[in-house]
Every structure is written in C-alpha cells, then in structure tokens.
Amino acid sequence: MSDFFSAVVPWIVAVVTLLGVLACGVFLWVQASKKLKVSLDENTNSTGHVWDEDLKELNNPMPRWWMGLFYITVVFSLGYLIYYPGLAAFEGSSQWTSTGQYKAERAKIEATAAPLYARFSALSMEEVARHPDALSMGQRLFLNNCAQCHGSDAQGSKGFPNLTDSDWLHGGDPETIRVSIVEGRKGQMPSMQAAVGGTQEARAVAQYVLSLSGRSNNSVLAQLGRETYKNVCAACHGADGKGNTALGAPNLSDRTWLYGGTEKAIVETIRNGRNGNMPAHGTLLTAEQIRVLASYVWQLSNVPEKTSALAQ
C-alpha cells in the first residue's frame, strides 16, 4: 500500500497544481471577457456598497494593465513549474534540487576551509590540543555544533554530559571522542521495574546505589537492595558499580550523575529507564574539522595548560 501511495501521490500533486494554475487563467479570461462600460454615474453603476456614508463602490471593470499583471503571474507560474521541480512528478528542466545545491555550497566551503585544517593533519591529536590556533578553531566548532546541548562552557546539564571532568561513558581518549563525534552515541537503559519489583524494592536498590558512591543512605534499605542490584544491575554497571565503557554504562561509584543522584531520580531511572541520543556529525563536519574538534574537547579535561593556550 505504501508503494502505491508513493507512486500515485506525486501525480496527484502535479495534476492539482496544474489545474489550479489553469483555473486561475480561465477565471481571468472569463472576467476579462465581460463587457462593462466605464461610468462615473454613481446612481446607475453602483454596486450598492457604501462606506463612511458617501463612499460608494462602482461596478467598473479593472484596468487592463492590472489584468495583464495577473496574466503574467499565470505565465510565470507555468514557466517556474517547468524549470524547477515544482511538480512532484516532474524533476524540472534545470535538474535543480535543494540537496544538490546544499552539496555544492558545502563543497565550496570545505574547499576554502581545507587549507586551514590541513596544517594540523601531521600532528597527533594530543599535539593539536596544545596548538593555540587549533584550539581557537576547535572552540568555534564546539560553539556552533556542540554548545546547544553541552553548554558554551561544556559543563553540560541534566541528561547532557559534562565534558570538562574525567567521567566518560564511552572513554575519554582523543580517538574515542573522535569516534563519538563521527558516529554519535545512543545510550539506553531499559525500564527495570519488572525485574526489580515494586516501589519499595526500587527504593532499596536506589539506596544501595547511593552507598556505592559514599553518599548518605539508608543502610537497612541498602542491604535489602544489594542482592537485587547484583542480580539485575551488575551485568552492565559491574559488581562494584564502576560501569562499563564498552557498553556506555555509567560509573555508579563516583558522584557524577547525568540525571541526578537523589533517591527520587534513581528510582525514576529504574522505573522508566533512560534514553539518550547524541546525533552523528560525520556528515556535518569534515574529517579534519572533527579531528580538531575532538582535540579541543579532549583538552577540556586533560591538558593542564589549556587556559594559557587559549589566551595566546
């Protein structure tokens, strides 16, 4: 059925569009063919419409130059539909597409910017992270592409990782960061409510999780939740709660929490799960731009002299 609609709908759009334009032309012709005498006698040529007590509308024909403008719009519409792909079933004589124009403009921009990034290609990403010019370029790339989620200071917010600390879900080395930018990341924790049990059981697991990071907790509930954690949560987060970068499973033994580290937030995570998505940027940025960007992100939490480098 979907194949039928995908084949028929473009033709329906094309026919309706052409009929609409032609109907406008026919309507103009019919109106222009009516013979009306121009008269200023408001008594014999009035339409009966009166405004402000004495302003009357007369039934005079529109000026020919005005009608000519309408005819021009009809002709222009037909020419436009022939040249551009205004009809869904016809690609247009110009072969123009928005995708093609985007690719052409992007290729032009990339060709202009390529020499600016080429000088860093021989350097390791750690060396790029110490280059003042590369940092400046990486910062602009970050602000244009990453700051919307991670913040202009890269410290993130609820659901968006802080890139200035040492806590990394998938690993914080330059190459892993580059892969994250190119391919994106999808972090998903399914709802564990059925496996954990009711509200009280979820609270007990939450209290045990709090104890893993040394936070204040209810020791009685924490002991009750310990066994459930080992049976349900340890497969991803580890028996010691230190997480698994291969799976993107967070470290529960530190005090860095993506969605909040309170009992309420943890119980909500257990009940509803979490679904985080970082879109891939491999098609939005060139390989050289991503390399510089990854180096910039890496140095936010790894290069001690980052402040002095940025100031140069």
Side-chain angles (χ1 to χ4, degrees):
M1 182 63 73
S2 61
D3 293 338
F4 171 79
F5 279 107
S6 63
V8 173
V9 170
W11 286 102
I12 295 176
V13 172
V15 171
V16 171
T17 302
L18 285 175
L19 288 178
V21 175
L22 294 176
C24 290
V26 171
F27 178 77
L28 287 172
W29 179 79
V30 171
Q31 294 301 310
S33 64
K34 291 184 177 181
K35 303 299 182 182
L36 294 175
K37 293 183 179 180
V38 178
S39 174
L40 298 179
D41 187 348
E42 60 185 35
N43 294 319
T44 61
N45 203 33
S46 174
T47 62
H49 299 157
V50 181
W51 293 272
D52 295 335
E53 298 183 356
D54 59 352
L55 182 61
K56 296 182 179 181
E57 179 184 11
L58 302 181
N59 190 25
N60 289 328
M62 289 191 296
R64 290 189 176 277
W65 66 267
W66 198 344
M67 294 294 291
L69 289 178
F70 283 118
Y71 279 119
I72 290 174
T73 60
V74 173
V75 174
F76 175 83
S77 298
L78 292 174
Y80 183 93
L81 294 174
I82 293 173
Y83 188 75
Y84 287 105
L87 301 174
F90 178 60
E91 60 185 6
S93 61
S94 66
Q95 305 292 309
W96 179 92
T97 63
S98 58
T99 301
Q101 181 173 339
Y102 166 77
K103 289 181 177 178
E105 293 178 356
R106 180 177 173 82
K108 184 178 180 180
I109 294 173
E110 290 178 358
T112 302
L116 300 177
Y117 294 93
R119 56 183 172 145
F120 305 122
S121 60
L123 303 177
S124 68
M125 295 180 70
E126 289 83 354
E127 291 173 326
V128 174
R130 292 177 172 83
H131 197 292
D133 292 342
L135 288 179
S136 180
M137 295 164 70
Q139 184 181 47
R140 287 194 291 271
L141 288 170
F142 180 88
L143 293 174
N144 289 331
N145 297 277
C146 314
Q148 294 82 353
C149 293
H150 295 284
S152 59
D153 58 0
Q155 293 187 8
S157 61
K158 184 177 180 180
F160 301 101
N162 181 353
L163 304 179
T164 64
D165 59 19
S166 58
D167 188 79
W168 295 87
L169 292 177
H170 298 274
D173 61 279
E175 178 59 21
T176 300
I177 296 173
R178 187 194 68 80
V179 172
S180 295
I181 297 173
V182 172
E183 300 178 359
R185 296 291 185 183
K186 187 170 182 63
Q188 184 174 16
M189 172 179 166
S191 170
M192 306 304 292
Q193 182 67 59
V196 169
T199 302
Q200 194 65 13
E201 289 82 358
R203 287 191 60 216
V205 173
Q207 288 298 322
Y208 179 72
V209 170
L210 289 173
S211 72
L212 291 174
S213 59
R215 288 175 177 253
S216 175
N217 64 90
N218 184 318
S219 59
V220 176
L221 281 178
Q223 285 302 313
L224 291 174
R226 181 177 183 178
E227 194 64 27
T228 303
Y229 173 88
K230 289 183 177 180
N231 294 332
V232 177
C233 312
C236 293
H237 295 283
D240 55 2
K242 293 189 179 298
N244 188 334
T245 55
L247 300 175
N251 181 357
L252 305 179
S253 64
D254 59 17
R255 299 203 172 198
T256 302
W257 295 84
L258 193 56
Y259 294 96
T262 63
E263 179 192 287
K264 180 180 179 182
I266 299 172
V267 169
E268 181 182 348
T269 299
I270 295 172
R271 283 180 174 175
N272 304 324
R274 297 293 184 183
N275 191 2
N277 181 44
M278 173 184 165
H281 285 67
T283 58
L284 301 176
L285 301 171
T286 66
E288 293 76 14
Q289 288 176 321
I290 291 176
R291 197 165 178 272
V292 170
L293 176 58
S295 299
Y296 172 79
V297 172
W298 177 78
Q299 64 83 38
L300 289 173
S301 59
N302 287 275
V303 180
E305 59 269 30
K306 61 183 178 181
T307 303
S308 59
L310 283 172
Q312 294 180 19

